[in-house]
Amino acid sequence: MKIKKKGLVVTLVGAMLLLWGAQMASAVPQEVLDILTDVPGSTAYVYGVQDERGETLDAIKIIENPEGGYLGVYHDYTTQFNVCLASSTDLINWDYQVTLETTASQPTIAYHPATGGFLVVYEDSLSGGSCLEFKYYDSLNDLLNANPSETYQAPRTYGDPCEGTPCVYSISDDVNTIKVGHHFYKDSNVDVVANGTLTGLCSESRNWSSTEWTTYNNTLKDKGVNGNIGDRDYGWLSGGEYNIQEGQLSKGVWESWRSWLYDYDTEDFTFLDVQTHGGSTAFGNSTFTVLTSPNDVECVVVTYFLFSEGAANGESGPLIFYTETGATPTPTPTPTGPTPTPTPTPTGAHTYNFEGITQSNTDYNAYACDVDVFTFAGKSSNRNSQVEATDSQYVNISADNTAEWATVDPSRNDEIFLWVEMKIEETPGSINQIDLTFNGNTDGTSTTTHKIYVMKAGADWTQDASWVQVGDSLDIEPDVDTEMTRSITSSITDYIDGSGNIIWGVYETTSSEDMRINYLEMVVTY
């Protein structure tokens, strides 16, 4: 290593001791670790891989081409980063096909057998930062001609300038629900991982939400990762469900980049002690894909980017290697993904709404609150009134139709906060995700920003810290019923009390206007 400062040496040595301890305690099968780390023992490999133009295939993600051979998305760099597509017949030699986007980087790709289309997601450069952009191509021909049928640029969720390095967890059959992992630059300090959901990609009503994966980040930090937690890739391997994840032991120290494997079964990370021919040590942009090898047997193709600061002679840049497992190949499936939380794939879902509810029911309640300010700034007096829906108003909000509950019109400079109480049947620890849906609008003459919040269980409702915004805000046109769904994907047990009660709500930001509520719903996935 080229680190000269004594403090950094101590930091790296201590972190490496943590890595070795984690490796010894790993429950990941040794065959999986060997496939992901043993370059000399692989079937074939190439360091510093380039396309025929001489451009390196940085951060490449490889999938099987349904018409034969392989496809890879990557970024090159001339005077700027560009997202490109290349093809190969042997996983070693690659031919440039087309530039999919300029001033963009860190792409990933997924094939969707149900439609024959392709989804490409990448990190799009913006003034002063970056965000995620989604492109869907109806066919291979459209992909090869850079002709997307759908494009969506996700708004930055966290207020920090940089969000990117996407991976695809799942795509619904109709391509209208896409779950991805990504990073964001937390507190303008270091990158951390979040999970996002895009709904309505192929419709006129699109919605993006994202939640920091706090337990995932903290678990990796406990392994000695004190710098950035960045790019990752998702998949199944030898019957196990994994993320391969890059992390930086020390912020700003490029030679301290390493890779880990997150096991969804144990909810823990195993350090990947990658062995190269020359002994390189710094690895990032990790991906893996199970596909059919050039010899028509199952194989696993793995890619890393080897940072020059930790690379052996002749090994820096993008590395591709694959290992044949000898199994009969199976078709590449649509990514089904986990519900992106550190828990197993969900096995069921339960929908809660106000169907059949009246005021006499104490487990399900909806109140229109006239508020001076939300959150409440520590003062109960900032909630001027709390009026429960009548029996007929409960009927109006029990189904997605034209019937609405029109709340009271708050006084001057006041707004409506819709307070919702529901009781769930599931054990909190078994829940992977909670989706909160509001369908409605706010009266008036201009667009109103709406926000969904959830309250921490047992907390003082008057305190600002008791309320957590779920996902990003949504601007809704007046008198136009609009669906807004936001997902709780981490720290779920923080919001459910010992009796199964959860309190959430919707805040509209326009003063002196009533809220029009068409439908309320909570879906618990477990």
Side-chain angles (χ1 to χ4, degrees):
M1 295 184 180
K2 300 178 181 178
I3 303 173
K4 302 298 182 182
K5 295 182 180 179
K6 182 178 179 181
L8 290 178
V9 171
V10 171
T11 299
L12 285 179
V13 169
M16 290 305 296
L17 290 174
L18 285 173
L19 301 185
W20 292 328
Q23 177 77 341
M24 292 175 63
S26 171
V28 177
Q30 188 60 46
E31 65 176 8
V32 171
L33 298 176
D34 290 342
I35 286 171
L36 298 176
T37 62
D38 186 5
V39 184
S42 65
T43 303
Y45 62 87
V46 55
Y47 293 97
V49 60
Q50 301 177 347
D51 60 27
E52 85 282 3
R53 303 173 303 163
E55 299 293 337
T56 55
L57 279 61
D58 295 352
I60 186 170
K61 170 63 179 178
I62 299 169
I63 63 170
E64 204 159 339
N65 184 340
E67 296 188 8
Y70 312 95
L71 299 169
V73 289
Y74 58 102
H75 65 246
D76 65 13
Y77 183 84
T78 50
T79 58
Q80 62 186 23
F81 287 107
N82 304 292
V83 169
C84 302
L85 175 74
S87 64
S88 175
T89 59
D90 61 6
L91 293 171
I92 301 300
N93 298 285
W94 291 84
D95 295 323
Y96 165 83
Q97 296 296 322
V98 68
T99 296
L100 298 174
E101 186 63 87
T102 58
T103 64
S105 61
Q106 305 287 347
T108 191
I109 185 171
Y111 174 58
H112 194 255
T115 61
F118 295 83
L119 175 70
V120 176
V121 193
Y122 51 83
E123 183 174 322
D124 193 23
S125 296
L126 297 175
S127 177
S130 60
C131 68
L132 298 186
E133 184 152 299
F134 297 75
K135 288 191 175 181
Y136 180 73
Y137 302 83
D138 287 329
S139 66
L140 178 60
N141 185 63
D142 287 332
L143 177 66
L144 293 171
N145 287 283
N147 180 34
S149 59
E150 304 290 345
T151 299
Y152 176 75
Q153 187 180 83
R156 287 193 294 235
T157 304
Y158 298 93
D160 292 289
C162 297
E163 297 180 16
T165 60
C167 70
V168 177
Y169 287 126
S170 66
I171 309 171
S172 64
D173 287 344
D174 60 2
V175 200
N176 275 322
T177 301
I178 298 166
K179 296 185 178 182
V180 300
H182 68 97
H183 85 263
F184 71 96
Y185 193 44
K186 185 174 184 179
D187 301 326
S188 297
N189 181 31
V190 293
D191 295 340
V192 296
V193 171
N195 292 313
T197 301
L198 170 61
T199 58
L201 176 62
C202 300
S203 71
E204 295 181 359
S205 179
R206 294 166 171 175
N207 179 59
W208 165 253
S209 62
S210 180
T211 305
E212 180 182 350
W213 198 349
T214 305
T215 54
Y216 182 93
N217 294 318
N218 289 341
T219 300
L220 192 52
K221 290 175 183 178
D222 289 342
K223 304 294 184 182
V225 177
N226 298 304
N228 292 310
I229 303 174
D231 200 8
R232 79 228 58 76
D233 196 28
Y234 165 79
W236 287 79
L237 186 55
S238 297
E241 187 179 16
Y242 302 105
N243 275 4
I244 189 169
Q245 173 72 56
E246 68 174 12
Q248 193 179 33
L249 301 180
S250 296
K251 180 182 176 181
V253 181
W254 290 94
E255 54 262 57
S256 72
W257 281 100
R258 302 291 186 269
S259 290
W260 282 261
L261 192 67
Y262 179 79
D263 185 341
Y264 279 85
D265 185 38
T266 64
E267 301 179 11
D268 201 4
F269 289 91
T270 296
F271 173 59
L272 294 177
D273 186 15
V274 182
Q275 302 297 310
T276 68
H277 293 75
S280 295
T281 57
F283 305 90
N285 293 128
S286 321
T287 79
F288 70 101
T289 311
V290 179
L291 38 69
T292 304
S293 80
N295 296 318
D296 289 328
V297 298
E298 186 178 87
C299 76
V300 183
V301 62
V302 183
T303 73
Y304 293 103
F305 186 85
L306 278 61
F307 295 93
S308 59
E309 291 82 354
N313 186 39
E315 292 187 352
S316 65
L319 162 67
I320 298 174
F321 65 100
Y322 70 88
T323 302
E324 294 177 340
T325 64
T328 301
T330 55
T332 301
T334 304
T336 54
T339 299
T341 60
T343 50
T345 304
T347 58
H350 189 164
T351 298
Y352 296 87
N353 57 31
F354 284 92
E355 183 178 356
I357 299 301
T358 64
Q359 282 192 341
S360 63
N361 188 299
T362 58
D363 291 334
Y364 299 86
N365 303 289
Y367 303 91
C369 302
D370 178 326
V371 300
D372 293 330
V373 62
F374 186 83
T375 50
F376 298 102
K379 297 179 180 179
S380 60
S381 59
N382 279 327
R383 185 176 69 183
N384 303 311
S385 65
Q386 185 180 32
V387 180
E388 185 176 4
T390 64
D391 289 354
S392 61
Q393 288 167 342
Y394 276 129
V395 172
N396 290 347
I397 66 174
S398 66
D400 186 356
N401 51 31
T402 58
E404 294 181 332
W405 168 23
T407 70
V408 296
D409 192 336
S411 58
R412 184 179 180 183
N413 297 324
D414 289 355
E415 297 84 45
I416 291 292
F417 175 69
L418 178 64
W419 181 299
V420 182
E421 299 173 353
M422 289 180 164
K423 185 172 183 177
I424 66 171
E425 298 175 3
E426 290 71 32
T427 302
S430 70
I431 297 173
N432 295 324
Q433 181 165 314
I434 298 177
D435 298 317
L436 305 173
T437 295
F438 163 81
N439 187 302
N441 65 87
T442 293
D443 194 20
T445 59
S446 59
T447 298
T448 296
T449 300
H450 292 69
K451 304 177 181 181
I452 291 181
Y453 286 84
V454 62
M455 194 178 86
K456 295 179 181 179
D460 180 352
W461 65 267
T462 67
Q463 300 301 311
D464 292 348
S466 300
W467 296 91
V468 178
Q469 184 175 350
V470 184
D472 57 347
S473 307
L474 181 65
D475 293 334
I476 298 178
E477 296 293 329
D479 300 318
V480 179
D481 281 346
T482 303
E483 183 172 298
M484 179 182 186
T485 300
R486 295 296 182 264
S487 301
I488 305 171
T489 58
S490 63
S491 304
I492 292 173
T493 56
D494 291 352
Y495 309 114
I496 305 169
D497 70 15
S499 298
N501 299 305
I502 183 170
I503 297 174
W504 61 284
V506 184
Y507 174 59
E508 52 92 355
T509 59
T510 298
S511 299
S512 306
E513 299 291 354
D514 63 277
M515 184 183 289
R516 311 288 180 85
I517 305 142
N518 175 30
Y519 179 62
L520 295 173
E521 177 184 273
M522 179 174 70
V523 177
V524 175
T525 305
Y526 53 91

